[in-house]
Amino acid sequence: MTATRAARHRMPGRLVAGGVGAVLVASGALVAALYAAGSEPYDAGGIGGPGAFVSWLLPLLRLISTLATVGCAGALLAAVVLLRIEGGPLGVQGRRAVRDASNSAIIWAVCAFAGAIVTASLLLNTPVRLLRLRLDDALGVPEVKALLITGILVLALAIGIRRVQTSSAAGLGVLVAIAALVPTAVTAYPRNESYVVLAGAALVIHVIAATTWVGGLAGLVRYGRASRTGLPIVLERYGQVALISSIAVLISGLISAAGRLAAKGGGWGSIIDTVTEDAYGGLLIAKVAAFLLLIVLAALHRSRSDTDLLESGRPFWRVVGVELLIMALTLGLSVALSQTI
């Protein structure tokens, strides 16, 4: 019995390989997109300022933070929604999910605190080792304060959900995770843009919906495989989450992008010109193309494999594997967009 349980709980090699592949795809997409848009970090600090290494740390920390956020959200969503047991108590997989969420939250918090330091160093043009001399200035930067707030919330999340036993308690963790996504989203756009309210509000919804969608699929892969008999229920629940999230991602993403492009071009009428002439517009087109490819492939594969999903694990893993890789590509492009002015 013990050996069987251990075998069920052990992460299979193909899942580890898929996770590594997703990280590599996201990293490659980030680096390629930054160079294609001419937004790659460089040494702009001059004598006594932060160097190229610190400049590169910012997008890399954002990418790691994004992946950890997805992992945390996926595990929490699995515990609260996908693996929900009537009556409230978490099952074996549910308890494992909240522990995984806690571990991901720790990584997320570390990246948030490290990102606050790197952001302060770059914006204040001060080496990291000398930031202690400009602590008041650093704490006055909105982006730094947002990252610190996120780090504190996520650290509390990691500690609070470590040993929860019920879905209602894990649900409170979901609310904290959502709250932690808000501070950095609302400071993502320059504060002097005339369309910042529209773009910022849409971006908050976009980030929450995207994290739910991608994280939910990751949670489905990680925990749904444990029970063949329960897979149809888990798959149905994820389908409902994915439908709502994907619609929200599309609408909020277009609104946020339109606000950003209008602000860059000086009005709504300049959106088309900005898309075709600006580096941000080029990356946006690539991201939209990846999103549409994801939607088409997901619909095509699932429509042809619905009956096979319950008879063999192979078609199911191929479907979600392709989706996760495209999602990883999209995440890399999203981080590159956040770096492109």
Side-chain angles (χ1 to χ4, degrees), residues 14-29 63 67 214 218 320-321 323-332:
R14 64 175 178 271
L15 192 56
V16 175
V20 173
V23 172
L24 292 177
V25 168
S27 302
L63 180 61
L67 295 174
V214 181
V320 297
E323 289 182 76
L324 282 174
L325 288 178
I326 298 176
M327 286 177 171
L329 173 68
T330 306
L331 290 177

Side-chain angles (χ1 to χ4, degrees), residues 277-293:
E277 298 174 0
D278 191 80
Y280 181 89
L283 290 184
L284 180 62
I285 292 174
K287 182 181 175 181
V288 171
F291 174 83
L292 294 177
L293 178 61

Side-chain angles (χ1 to χ4, degrees), residues 37-55:
S39 302
E40 71 277 8
Y42 58 93
D43 186 355
I47 299 176
F53 175 76
V54 175
S55 298

Side-chain angles (χ1 to χ4, degrees), residues 237-322:
R237 290 173 178 174
Y238 172 70
Q240 296 171 353
V241 172
L243 177 61
I244 297 173
S245 298
S246 60
I247 294 174
V249 166
L250 176 60
I251 296 175
S252 61
L254 290 176
I255 293 175
S256 178
R260 176 67 181 266
L261 291 170
K264 289 174 68 66
W268 295 109
S270 65
I271 290 179
I272 300 300
D273 292 336
T274 306
V275 167
T276 56
E277 298 174 0
D278 191 80
Y280 181 89
L283 290 184
L284 180 62
I285 292 174
K287 182 181 175 181
V288 171
F291 174 83
L292 294 177
L293 178 61
L294 176 64
I295 294 296
V296 171
L297 286 178
L300 179 63
H301 289 172
R302 285 205 171 93
S303 66
R304 294 182 177 181
S305 306
D306 282 346
T307 56
D308 295 334
L309 288 175
L310 305 181
E311 297 174 1
S312 171
R314 294 180 181 274
F316 173 75
W317 300 123
R318 284 200 296 268
V319 169
V320 297
V322 171

